[in-house]
Amino acid sequence: MPAAGTLEGPKEVTEFLEDISRQYEKVHVGYEDNFWSTKMNLAGCSGEALVRTKTEYESFLGDAKKLEAVREMMKRPDLSPEQSKVLSVMERTFGCYITEDDRAKELKEKLNTLEAELAGARNKMALGLKDPSTGEFRAASSVQLRNLMRVEDAEPTRRAAFDALRAIGPFVAGRFCEIVKARNELARLCGYEDFYDMKVTQAEGFGKARLFTIMDGLEARTRGIMEAARARLAKEKGAAALEPHNIGHALAGDTTRLTDPYFPFEEAVDVWGRTFAALGIDYRGSLMTLDLCDREGKYSNGFCHWPQPAWRRADGSWQPAVANFTSLATPNEPGSGKTALVTLLHEGGHAAHFANVDQHSPFFSQERAPTSVAYAENQSMFLDSLASDAAWLGRYARDREGNPIPWELVERLHTDSHPYEVFQVRAMLAVPYFEKALYELPEDQVTPEALQALADDVERRVQGGLSPRPLLSVPHILADESSAYYHGYVLAEMSVHQTRDHFLATEGRIVDNPNVGAALTRAYWTPGNSAMFLDLVEGLTGRPLSGDAWVARLQLPLEQLLVREKEEYGRAIKEGPSIPPGADFDIGMAVRLVHGDEVIADSRADGGLRGACSKFKAWVRAKYFGGKA
């Protein structure tokens, strides 16, 4: 329920809660500001400042005296229900981080330093490929390397890109082994089986054993589908198509080029904004900074963090969120526009979620434990799923002249992708299975060679062969805030399909339906982490979470899918988008578009979001296309 209004109850309790909330807000903002500056490699960024502010943040969360004070307050018989709720989430949060063991405190500080050192080294890694035709080294980020494997016609270049991605593993493995050992020691000191068990229990409220009961069921139900898909691909395009450097190209190379004109990169921000506005999504006064284009030294994964959590202060006033959002696009490369758009829908979904948590403390609206990983990812993955729907493509996928994507290309998108959607499931499953096995290794077996061998073994076992995205190149695995996290994507994807089925059954449509945004806000976003993920999903959909809807999608015959999608496409073309291109729109948010330290546009000074989008388009055309439209 919303926390609108003042925080009722005994004054001294309200003052206590407000004081702790403001203290938390301060250390959260301090750490997140440094996190952004170092990940974006901004002028003056400091790894030392990041370590210091992270330590301050974790010291606040690990202060046993605060937990003791919260528990004392919880004993009062005169608390209001709202005060009890705030105290409860504070107790849960502090309980995730507090330890009385001096060795555990030392390990946390050591890990902060080790992880900062690894992140710094990884950011400075001379990543790129040796051009097979010239022998020259070509610098390229991991995102660019993966994109090359999808769109490059020359197989030697694709192989070189894959080899470059594989090089990340040996580069990080030595430092990472020390981190793995320290993480496990910390978890066992805190009473957990291992680090994975600790992270899952703190975030989801249940342990590793229950998690993998769910995961094992999905793995078993999709293994046969994967094997059939691999056999189909080999039959259609030859056995070589299953090689890790070829599989992305075999699935998407031609389609990516053909559909690329209908996803102009410079239009992505405008399309994202209009899509969300038509869904009735409101960011409630937030400020967002978008850093969308790749550059040297920038962190190699898109993310959205919010240094300023949204919350309702005790006097009833509203504190809007401040969000930072990054992706790694190279606008003049084929496929970059679609990738940027999906990233905007995904990370913008995170921001919409956390901008709408309406509770009486920032403890409810931050992404760390006890906030469920699956809960956080459910929102973003539901919204990025729209980019594959004919109902969305027919309305929003348009070339630079305004022509909509033709049905023949939409049909080809589904024909090329639907039989192989199971590959995404298996790639998602591979990460948690790898991390589970990693943290279960005996300490004397945690060596660089063992890590790389384990990664290869899991890829072959779960994905049927080596992965085009080698496990040790997945940045989530290395960083504390995203380690032992990826299972959340799997649980969230289960929820995405279940939620989509719910809306299609009750509303008849998702795209351009403001009832969807209202329902997401009410049922999923407003509560924040005051409720458990599984309860929230069941509360909206009326059913316990399961993989049934997802597996049903994978098993749906292509012919049936195409009939349904063609009907949706026809309706989309006839109706057009609710908010047409060039129209004003409002999502309740100010937006800054930046490129590192350069401010490209600011909606507060450039005529609103439409004006900022126009300025951004001009910048992209000047920087990447020589000023041509």
Side-chain angles (χ1 to χ4, degrees), residues 208-263:
K208 184 176 68 170
R210 182 179 177 189
L211 170 67
F212 279 91
T213 297
I214 299 171
M215 305 286 269
D216 288 348
L218 183 65
E219 193 279 329
R221 294 176 71 186
T222 57
R223 174 169 289 279
I225 303 172
M226 175 199 70
E227 291 169 347
R230 287 179 64 86
R232 175 175 178 152
L233 183 60
K235 182 179 180 180
E236 288 181 349
K237 300 196 175 181
L242 297 176
E243 294 294 325
H245 62 280
N246 288 333
I247 192 166
H249 184 264
L251 295 174
D254 292 341
T255 305
T256 298
R257 290 187 183 279
L258 290 169
T259 59
D260 188 60
Y262 299 96
F263 299 97

Side-chain angles (χ1 to χ4, degrees), residues 427-443:
M428 291 167 69
L429 283 169
V431 180
Y433 274 105
F434 169 66
E435 289 190 284
K436 176 179 183 288
L438 173 65
Y439 292 106
E440 289 176 352
L441 282 175
E443 184 171 331

Side-chain angles (χ1 to χ4, degrees), residues 139-198:
S141 69
S142 59
V143 173
Q144 291 171 318
L145 292 170
R146 293 201 306 273
N147 195 51
L148 264 178
M149 287 193 289
R150 286 194 296 269
V151 303
E152 173 58 55
D153 289 332
E155 182 177 0
T157 302
R158 296 199 302 271
R159 183 183 293 277
F162 175 71
D163 290 342
L165 280 174
R166 289 273 293 179
I168 295 173
F171 183 85
V172 302
R175 286 185 174 92
F176 188 47
C177 283
E178 192 173 357
I179 290 171
V180 169
K181 293 174 184 177
R183 285 175 176 173
N184 263 349
E185 184 181 353
L186 173 63
R188 288 167 182 147
L189 282 172
C190 294
Y192 295 94
E193 179 182 332
D194 56 31
F195 181 73
Y196 204 119
D197 187 50
M198 180 177 79

Side-chain angles (χ1 to χ4, degrees), residues 383-492:
L383 289 160
D384 78 37
S385 74
L386 301 181
S388 299
D389 290 350
W392 185 91
L393 291 164
R395 289 176 172 85
Y396 291 99
R398 296 172 181 253
D399 65 18
R400 290 180 172 92
E401 286 71 47
N403 301 307
I405 187 171
W407 164 249
E408 291 73 22
L409 279 184
V410 177
E411 181 180 34
R412 181 164 179 174
L413 277 171
H414 288 303
T415 301
D416 288 353
S417 65
H418 180 68
Y420 305 110
E421 286 179 6
V422 68
F423 292 162
Q424 177 197 23
V425 183
R426 306 298 292 192
M428 291 167 69
L429 283 169
V431 180
Y433 274 105
F434 169 66
E435 289 190 284
K436 176 179 183 288
L438 173 65
Y439 292 106
E440 289 176 352
L441 282 175
E443 184 171 331
D444 61 355
Q445 294 181 28
V446 180
T447 65
E449 296 75 20
L451 261 63
Q452 293 169 78
L454 178 63
D456 290 351
D457 177 67
V458 171
E459 288 174 19
R460 292 188 177 101
R461 179 163 49 87
V462 177
Q463 295 181 254
L466 291 181
S467 172
R469 189 188 193 190
L471 281 166
L472 285 172
S473 74
V474 178
H476 298 69
I477 293 170
L478 306 181
D480 166 62
E481 63 276 356
S482 56
S483 57
Y485 182 110
Y486 223 84
H487 62 270
Y489 293 112
V490 181
L491 298 178

